[in-house]
Amino acid sequence: MPPAHPFDDDKLREECGIFGVIGLSDAANFVALGLHALQHRGQEAGGIVSHDPEIGFNSARRFGYVRDNFTRQSLMETLPGPLSIGHVRYSTSGAKGPTQIRDVQPFFGEFSMGGAAIAHNGNITNADALRRELIERGSIFQSGSDSECIIHLMARSLQRNIVERMEDALRRVEGAFSVVAMTRSKLIGVRDPLGVRPLVLGQLGEGWVLSSESCALDIIGARLVREIAPGEMVVISAKGGVESHFPFRRRKSRFCIFEHVYFSRPDSLIGGRSVYETRHQIGVELAREAPVEADLVCPVPDSGTPAAIGFSHESGIPFAMGIVRNQYMGRTFIEPTEQIRNMGVRLKLNVNRALIEGKRVILVDDSVVRGTTSRKIKEMILDAGAAEVHFRIASPPTAWPCFYGVDTPQREKLLAATMSEEEMREHLAVDSIRFISLDGLYRAVGEAGGRDKASPQYCDACFSGDYPVAPSDQIEKGFALKAAE
């Protein structure tokens, strides 16, 4: 499946979304709704597994959007039962380009004590080494996904039951993982010891829900109970009991700070804090750090909007929707010739010429990756008659790739990895460009003292090059870590 929009290759790709339900009739229908709310986390493909006491396990995996597949009654009738998990995918490992159906999660395994299905958000940084070891010992892989390693590790474990086998398997795994899994009678949720990727627990009537984000609880009317803690495993039985334990060595949390900036939906809560309010505060900090005389503050829709509102409030410069997004733009609907590809941004965004003409414009965006989209948007603004164009970016310069579940370009393709801020300004041919500082971002997410350099409160490797878990597979391939300062 091609990207959802013609220039999405210039954004960091969201990782994946996971959702699980136990104790509700036709649980798969609730899972489909939850996955729909998590669609922003992965648009390539989705899958659902359900279990019915009389029929057993059933699964469906499809390419494309949830709305185009898991809304059909004929399909949902094949997924009965009170227990179900699901996954929406963007490939951070496995096949690139057109997705292989075999890489679509959840993955299912039949063990001596019964079947189990697993869905994973994140990335296993020692997957190559694990895969080699498992193949040498006789494992036969069905996919190219790093997540399948967990199933094979469970199969080889000598522990007595599936929950203990999962603990055993996950202790071998390095990197980032939030997992939802199911047996015939239990729903399981796990976060890695650093808590890099999110996972929350909700309740709906007598049923329980696990989700990547709280916004997906809202769509089914579930109540947010709490976040699953870093390193925690919860095991929920069909009778409604929630058991919690910590099978891993305790470590300081390093939640992904980019969830606050871009990945999570603005109507989600992280750590009891509204993502929207955090992004608004990022704009406030940005206005304090990088003021500029201008006539209008305009967001690059939609992810730049809360920060642009915060920038406007703090600076006193009027907020305006100088760029309007075509809400009905899906995949390119005509043959993508070179001419059409060059129109890619215009198919999705259009400049409000009446507002822009003759004005000094501040454009607020969430990030700059390769810079290709920023140049096209700048050209559109100038074509509409803007007098000046100033970029203000609601994240620090993205100078390092992420190996924890985000599909990031190679380091040399990241604009900030090879250019200074002034060189980026010249490359983009704008009047100015400024990024929020790392300390400013930390203040915006609630760390009043900024970033603790000795022991950072978040994973910010994409900005700092400080990787909380060494990406061993990548190092083996020649990736050079940042030199110690």
Side-chain angles (χ1 to χ4, degrees), residues 117-134:
I118 186 168
H120 166 222
N121 169 213
N123 217 48
I124 298 172
T125 56
N126 64 332
D128 290 351
L130 288 174
R131 194 182 187 93
R132 285 195 303 269
E133 175 192 323
L134 288 162

Side-chain angles (χ1 to χ4, degrees), residues 218-297:
D218 299 336
I219 197 173
I220 65 170
R223 174 179 65 88
L224 174 64
V225 176
R226 62 179 178 87
E227 294 181 357
I228 305 302
E232 181 183 13
M233 173 181 277
V234 293
V235 181
I236 309 170
S237 69
K239 295 181 180 179
V242 180
E243 299 175 8
S244 168
H245 57 284
F246 291 83
F248 313 108
R249 180 173 62 87
R250 294 289 186 104
R251 298 179 64 184
K252 182 182 176 184
S253 171
R254 293 289 295 274
F255 183 67
C256 171
I257 201 165
F258 213 75
E259 290 279 353
H260 287 285
V261 175
Y262 178 65
F263 292 140
S264 294
R265 259 178 42 172
D267 50 336
S268 285
L269 296 172
I270 296 176
R273 184 183 176 98
S274 159
V275 173
Y276 176 90
E277 290 298 330
T278 295
R279 290 177 187 168
H280 182 280
Q281 190 60 32
I282 288 173
V284 170
E285 291 288 342
L286 193 51
R288 292 170 181 168
E289 290 185 349
V292 61
E293 291 187 8
D295 303 305
L296 295 175
V297 178

Side-chain angles (χ1 to χ4, degrees), residues 353 356 377-389 429 431:
R353 183 180 293 269
I356 293 295
I377 291 173
K378 178 266 304 184
E379 289 164 4
M380 290 169 58
I381 294 290
L382 289 177
D383 288 347
E388 295 177 8
V389 178
D431 292 280

